[in-house]
Amino acid sequence: MSVHTHSVEAGGVIVTVAGEQLLETAREAAAELAGVPARLAAKDATLWGPEAEAEARIRLGWIDLPRSSREFLPELRAFAASVRSAGLTHVVLAGMGGSSLAPEVIAATAGVGLTVLDTTDPGQIRNALADRLEHTVLVVSSKSGTTIETDSHRRVYEAAFRNAGIDPAERIVVVTDPGSPLEKIARESDYRVFLADPNVGGRYSALSAFGLVPTALAGVDVAGLLDDAAAFAETVAADDGPGALLGALLGGAGRRGRDKIFFADFGSRQPGFADWAEQLLAESTGKRGTGLLPVVVESVDAADYLDLPDRVLVTLGNPLNLEGVTVSGTLGGSFLAWEFGTALAGRLLGINPFDQPNVAESKENTARILDEAGSGPLTERPPVFVEDAVAVYADDPELLAGAATIRDVLAVLLGAIPEHGYLAVMAYLDRHEDAAAALLRKSLALHTGRPVTFGWGPRFLHSTGQYHKGGPQVGVFLQLTGAHEADLEIPGRPFTFGRLQLAQALGDLRALRQRGRPAIRLHLRDRTAGIEQVLDAANELA
């Protein structure tokens, strides 16, 4: 059966809303936003209220990026040519959140190779170090310049280059904000430095130096990306533009309780875009007990979104004959459309879309756990029980009273999801070697009537981690950690990557526990066997 639709196309981007209820929601919210898109295009920092004004004044530089980023393109183009002429054909990006998600999409869409390190898993890092080191250039990207994961990547690559008889100054490029600690280190080490616009937040930085430097070095035509973004930028001030429609729909739906945003790719040819949008939405809106929860599903036939009354289906690419929203168009234009839409949705939801008040919490817990443990074990709490390759841990053992198998544990967690809640699966594993763990999302979704998300740790801490803590406190959490075949030292640090990874996992659990949220950790004593065991248990659920 066909559904009523309304499409807006401008600047290379098309947004289509389908379904009477969503159309009514979008119309009402758009009327409330009359004149707001033009004010946003003019960088009006008062749009989100007096409490957000100071932050907004230093976070709206992303609006100018299609133009302002062109200023350093000649320098970047010349440097990229020199890198290629030196035979450095393997580009590794060390970055987290906004520093890695957009470059990954840009490179994948262009079909060029880019190795992204947004992990503390020692196996994944060791594999990257062993891959074409003699032809590697490392891009170290951090807005603050203090990101512990990125700092650790820099340290281990510096040592690897030196051990191979390579001067790190010939291989390391730094992207950071002016005056950051990382800039100081880079200048002292004679690394090539590209400074980003400090008035752009990390998740809005796709078209800044954070998105352009690593991808240009990898061979992407970043000038074309900016051309496409500039074409869309000409349309953003209109009340009836694609960005305005997207913002009205997202914000209006969220206020009506339809706050679970399911992303399904259907021919977008922009691999990973949903993961980038996930961070943008979750970190921008998940605060003050409200927010939009992005749920990235494997395909449009992942039927777990169909019967949920609090969901909106977003299709990236081609429209479906279903109630929902479809967004398609050029990559540069799509980045800007979602940024404008998210900022407008923030106004409707009554939140500041540019801060992330809870992101630092897990970081602080990680540091505290490492300090408290010293050289001793990070946790002395024994497992609730062990079944074959999986050990089960819970800070509140009463949560698992009567559970004797992994299947029982999963059943307890699914049963604990409240009426408007969700289950988050958080895997502190190697997202390449342990990729099968991601199958757990779909398997669990088939056995619950509620949304199930999946995130690789610690990268989700810079994304949905904000929503987990600052959004509605209706989440239930399943964490996966795993044993290491071999750990990896971090030069100049008193802890290893494996120890850091576990401390990050435990630090996040501590933040969730402080909010009284149900959370279980499954530790895979053997990763391959453990993943298979957990998947089998999920499939056994009635």
Side-chain angles (χ1 to χ4, degrees), residues 6-16 37 227-246 326-338 340:
H6 173 64
S7 293
V8 175
E9 179 177 3
V13 176
I14 306 171
V15 174
T16 301
D227 288 343
D228 291 338
F232 183 79
E234 295 295 320
T235 76
V236 295
D239 284 348
D240 58 354
L245 177 59
L246 183 59
T326 301
V327 183
S328 63
T330 64
L331 183 57
S334 294
F335 279 139
L336 210 52
W338 278 98
F340 264 86

Side-chain angles (χ1 to χ4, degrees), residues 322-364:
L322 291 171
E323 183 186 60
V325 185
T326 301
V327 183
S328 63
T330 64
L331 183 57
S334 294
F335 279 139
L336 210 52
W338 278 98
E339 289 166 351
F340 264 86
T342 300
L344 294 173
R347 176 180 169 90
L348 290 170
L349 294 171
I351 52 89
N352 174 4
F354 306 114
D355 68 349
Q356 49 282 330
N358 304 106
V359 165
E361 188 173 346
S362 289
K363 299 179 186 178
E364 292 165 357

Side-chain angles (χ1 to χ4, degrees), residues 410 413 423-426 440 444 476-480 520 522:
L410 298 181
L413 283 176
L423 171 66
V425 182
M426 310 170 296
L440 192 58
L444 291 174
V476 174
F477 300 90
L478 174 61
Q479 188 183 87
L480 303 178
I520 299 296
L522 300 184

Side-chain angles (χ1 to χ4, degrees), residues 39-59:
R39 292 171 60 190
L40 177 55
K43 298 195 291 186
D44 183 347
T46 68
L47 288 174
W48 302 274
E51 290 186 15
E53 185 175 348
E55 179 84 18
R57 287 194 183 283
I58 58 170
R59 288 292 177 261

Side-chain angles (χ1 to χ4, degrees), residues 30 39 42 56 84 115 138 143 177 180 196 283 292 315 329 331 335 355 357 415 421 447 463 503 513 539:
R39 292 171 60 190
R84 285 191 292 272
T115 296
L138 175 72
K143 179 177 174 63
D177 275 5
S180 78
E283 205 170 45
L292 303 173
T315 308
L331 183 57
F335 279 139
D355 68 349
H447 299 286
S463 178
R513 184 179 71 243
N539 292 331

